[in-house]
């Protein structure tokens, strides 16, 4: 019987790393992030930004479901491998349907319903896998039985209902589906399992890299089909620098600090760090990067499309708020994630957040490229200050002296 169970699934070891199939799964999420950015750019209204945010929330929730599953059992072994491939299929269908998640296009199947049913398939598959792997673990089985019926019932049935409606009611059903699922998951208990803090932290670090990669892709899309020029070159380098500085803000010290606290925690405290510092606080990081991607795409449009824009044109409205608000949200989420895990707050980052918010009216009066340069300058100043001011503790965290 033990050999049969091992053939079906194998537990994750404490020193495990992210598996290749999990990276393969994330390729679907890369595509989904691109589709969300395109959805947001399609119609620059606050209502459409809300739609894009809600779609991103659903795609995030399906991703985190399998991040937890892959930390209990190896994602590339036995039936779990098959489940991962099936989940990828459902996720890919959902990603393809993102442009129709709220409005059905003429011809073909009902887009909103396809999106909702694909999400339902992902969640049901996830629940079944957790029921299977918790057969010999009463604590985990109790948690799954307590959590799944309400969480999946709220998260999926309301989306299916939303697919049959329009307008305000549809938006409210989406909000209830995502918000209710997230709240119930938070309050349904902390009897989950974390077998490897290293694997879990690495998994979330990789999704941050994927999101930052989307910001770089947006730069390329913004200049696609245009001849290379100095504004394109300068704008591309500034955009790449902003993405790199956000990477630095996360990976240089913060990710390591949170991971160290996470690895040292035990019992319910470890589960709560996984839930709050990772599952919940990493979502606004992703939202922030997607918002930045929208802003970068528009700035590069300004820099490259001489038939519609002048280099002296200022970035206005939603693209400007995305360009500055995205990094603000990213930094706030980093601060929150680190504070929950370690109890520490880096004052310089709070100052940077306030400075970026205060500079939005100034950026609105500058040419788009100058506004991007100002954003880059603030993030660069933050990085230089932290490297110089916290040299000793930074070295200790990074090298373990």
């Amino acid at each position: 019987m033990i050999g049969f169970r091992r053939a079906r699934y194998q537990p994750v070891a404490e020193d495990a790393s992210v598996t290749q199939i999990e990276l393969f799964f994330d390729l679907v999420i890369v595509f989904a992030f691109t589709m969300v950015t395109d959805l947001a750019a399609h119609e620059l209204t606050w209502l459409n930004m809300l739609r894009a945010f809600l779609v991103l929330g659903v795609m995030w929730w399906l991703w985190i479901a399998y991040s937890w599953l892959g930390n209990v059992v190896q994602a590339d072994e036995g039936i779990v491998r098959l489940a991962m491939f099936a989940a990828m299929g459902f996720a890919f269908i959902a990603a393809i349907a993102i442009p129709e998640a709220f409005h059905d296009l003429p011809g073909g199947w009902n887009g909103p319903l396809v999106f909702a049913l694909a999400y339902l398939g992902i969640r049901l598959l996830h629940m079944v896998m957790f029921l299977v792997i918790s057969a010999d673990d009463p604590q985990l089985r109790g948690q799954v039985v307590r959590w799944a019926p309400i969480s999946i019932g709220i998260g999926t049935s309301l989306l299916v209902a939303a697919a049959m409606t329009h307008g305000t009611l549809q938006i409210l059903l989406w909000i209830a589906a995502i918000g209710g699922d997230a709240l119930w998951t938070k309050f349904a208990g902390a009897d989950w399992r974390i077998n490897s803090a290293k694997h879990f932290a690495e998994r979330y670090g990789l999704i941050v890299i994927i999101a930052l990669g989307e910001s770089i892709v947006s730069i390329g899309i913004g200049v696609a089909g245009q001849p290379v020029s100095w504004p394109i070159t300068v704008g591309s380098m500034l955009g790449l620098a902003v993405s790199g500085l956000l990477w630095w803000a996360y990976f240089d010290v913060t990710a390591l600090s949170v991971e160290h606290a996470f690895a040292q925690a035990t019992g319910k405290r470890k589960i709560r760090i996984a839930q709050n510092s990772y599952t919940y606080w990493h979502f606004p990081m992703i939202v922030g990067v997607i918002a930045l991607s929208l802003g970068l795409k528009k700035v590069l449009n300004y820099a490259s499309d001489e038939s519609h824009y002048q280099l002296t044109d200022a970035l206005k409205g939603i693209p400007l708020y995305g360009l500055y608000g995205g990094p603000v949200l990213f930094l706030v989420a980093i601060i929150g994630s680190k504070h929950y895990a370690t109890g520490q707050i880096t004052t310089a980052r709070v100052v940077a957040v306030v400075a970026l918010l205060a500079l939005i009216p100034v950026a609105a009066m500058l040419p788009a490229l100058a506004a991007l340069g100002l954003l880059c300058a603030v993030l660069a100043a933050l990085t230089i200050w932290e490297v110089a001011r916290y040299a000793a503790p930074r070295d200790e965290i990074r090298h373990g002296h």
Side-chain angles (χ1 to χ4, degrees):
M1 180 62 72
I2 293 176
F4 175 67
R5 286 175 180 166
R6 286 183 60 82
R8 290 192 298 164
Y9 58 85
Q10 294 187 32
V12 168
E14 186 176 351
D15 61 347
S17 296
V18 173
T19 60
Q20 297 298 318
I21 196 170
E22 289 173 298
L23 297 175
F24 194 32
F25 182 89
D26 288 351
L27 293 178
V28 177
I29 305 303
V30 172
F31 175 61
F33 286 170
T34 301
M35 295 297 282
V36 170
T37 304
D38 289 346
L39 175 65
H42 179 70
E43 180 185 331
L44 294 177
T45 65
W46 288 113
L47 176 59
N48 196 51
M49 295 307 108
L50 176 58
R51 294 191 191 108
F53 171 79
L54 292 172
V55 171
L56 185 60
V58 169
M59 299 310 294
W60 174 255
W61 211 248
L62 72 84
W63 181 86
I64 65 102
Y66 287 85
S67 72
W68 283 77
L69 177 66
N71 195 262
V72 179
V73 288
Q74 294 182 29
D76 58 351
E77 295 288 345
I79 61 171
V80 185
R81 175 186 290 191
L82 299 178
M84 290 293 291
F85 277 116
M88 286 172 60
F90 284 123
F92 197 55
I93 292 171
I96 291 172
I98 283 175
E100 297 184 77
F102 290 89
H103 301 294
D104 184 38
L105 298 178
W109 292 343
N110 183 304
L113 186 59
V114 168
F115 183 90
L117 292 178
Y119 183 62
L120 172 62
I122 293 167
R123 296 300 301 276
L124 289 177
L125 182 61
H126 175 258
M127 179 187 69
V128 169
M129 289 308 304
F130 257 115
L131 288 173
V132 170
I133 67 177
S134 64
D136 298 323
D137 186 340
Q139 177 179 319
L140 181 58
R141 172 57 66 88
Q143 175 67 69
V144 173
V145 170
R146 182 169 60 250
W147 163 81
I150 295 178
S151 181
I152 294 178
I154 292 174
T156 60
S157 61
L158 291 179
L159 277 186
V160 172
M164 309 300 180
T165 62
H166 302 280
T168 302
L169 177 58
Q170 184 185 51
I171 294 292
L172 291 175
L173 287 172
W174 270 75
I175 293 172
I178 298 170
D181 196 352
L183 285 173
W184 176 246
T185 297
K186 184 173 180 62
F187 294 110
D191 289 330
W192 298 99
R193 296 295 189 195
I194 294 293
N195 287 355
S196 172
K198 175 179 178 293
H199 171 274
F200 201 83
E202 183 182 356
R203 194 83 178 88
Y204 280 77
L206 288 172
I207 201 66
V208 171
I209 290 179
I210 286 172
L212 290 171
E214 168 58 23
S215 69
I216 296 173
V217 169
S218 294
I219 297 171
I221 292 175
V223 300
Q226 301 294 338
V228 177
S229 62
W230 77 261
I232 288 177
T233 303
V234 171
S236 298
M237 290 300 97
L238 287 173
L240 182 61
V242 168
S243 296
L245 289 165
L246 293 182
W247 176 93
W248 190 299
Y250 179 85
F251 286 100
D252 185 58
V253 170
T254 298
L256 295 173
S257 299
V258 175
E259 182 181 350
H260 292 169
F262 183 36
Q264 293 168 7
T266 58
K268 294 187 184 300
R269 173 62 179 166
K270 181 182 286 288
I271 301 301
R272 291 304 187 193
I273 291 176
Q275 287 180 327
N276 294 305
S277 291
Y278 288 99
T279 293
Y280 289 105
W281 271 119
H282 273 62
F283 178 55
M285 291 184 206
I286 305 303
V287 175
V289 176
I290 298 301
L292 170 66
S293 299
L294 179 63
L296 288 176
K297 185 176 182 180
K298 198 64 176 178
V299 170
L300 269 296
N301 282 156
Y302 277 47
S304 63
D305 190 354
E306 296 179 359
S307 63
H308 293 88
Y309 305 103
Q310 301 291 327
L311 286 178
T312 55
D313 289 346
L315 200 62
K316 300 290 186 181
I318 289 174
L320 176 64
Y321 297 133
L323 185 68
Y324 274 70
V328 164
L329 191 56
F330 188 88
L331 291 176
V332 168
I334 286 179
I335 292 168
S337 175
K338 182 179 178 182
H339 179 259
Y340 187 87
T342 69
Q344 301 171 353
I345 293 179
T346 305
T347 305
R349 297 189 173 188
V350 177
V351 172
V353 166
V354 174
L356 287 175
L357 290 173
L359 286 172
I360 291 177
V362 177
M365 296 184 291
L366 298 174
L369 275 181
L372 178 57
L374 181 60
L375 169 64
C376 186
V378 173
L379 294 176
L382 170 65
T383 302
I384 293 169
W385 168 261
E386 289 186 342
V387 170
R389 176 67 177 80
Y390 304 108
R394 174 176 176 270
D395 184 64
E396 181 178 353
I397 291 171
R398 289 183 55 80
H399 304 111
H401 297 323

